[in-house]
Amino acid sequence: MMTLVRLIDIFVEFVKILIGQSGNAVARVLAWLVVLAAVVAVVWLIAWGVSMIPTWVDALNGS
C-alpha cells in the first residue's frame, strides 16, 4: 500500500514540474521530453502490434 502512495506522490511531483509549479526551466523541459518519449513509445508499440497481426493470424492458422 505504501508503494502505491509513493508512486502517486512521484506522479504528483512530476505533474507539478510539468505545469511549472516547482522546479526550474531545465527540469520542466526534461519532464516534457519524458512525456514526449513515452507517447512516442506507446504509438510505436501500437503500430508494431497492428503490423504484426497478419503474422500472428498466419501462425495461429498453421501457415
Side-chain angles (χ1 to χ4, degrees), residues 14 17-19 24-42:
F14 187 76
I17 291 171
L18 282 177
I19 62 175
N24 56 17
V26 174
R28 192 174 327 129
V29 169
L30 288 176
W32 278 108
L33 287 174
V34 167
V35 169
L36 181 63
V39 168
V40 168
V42 167

Side-chain angles (χ1 to χ4, degrees), residues 4 8 11 14-15 19 26 40 43 50:
L4 179 61
I8 292 170
F11 177 75
F14 187 76
V15 171
I19 62 175
V26 174
V40 168
V43 169
V50 169

Side-chain angles (χ1 to χ4, degrees), residues 5 11 13-14 16 18-19 22 42 45 49-50 57-58 61:
V5 172
F11 177 75
E13 290 299 321
F14 187 76
K16 283 182 182 178
L18 282 177
I19 62 175
S22 66
V42 167
L45 188 60
V50 169
V57 170
D58 288 342
N61 288 333

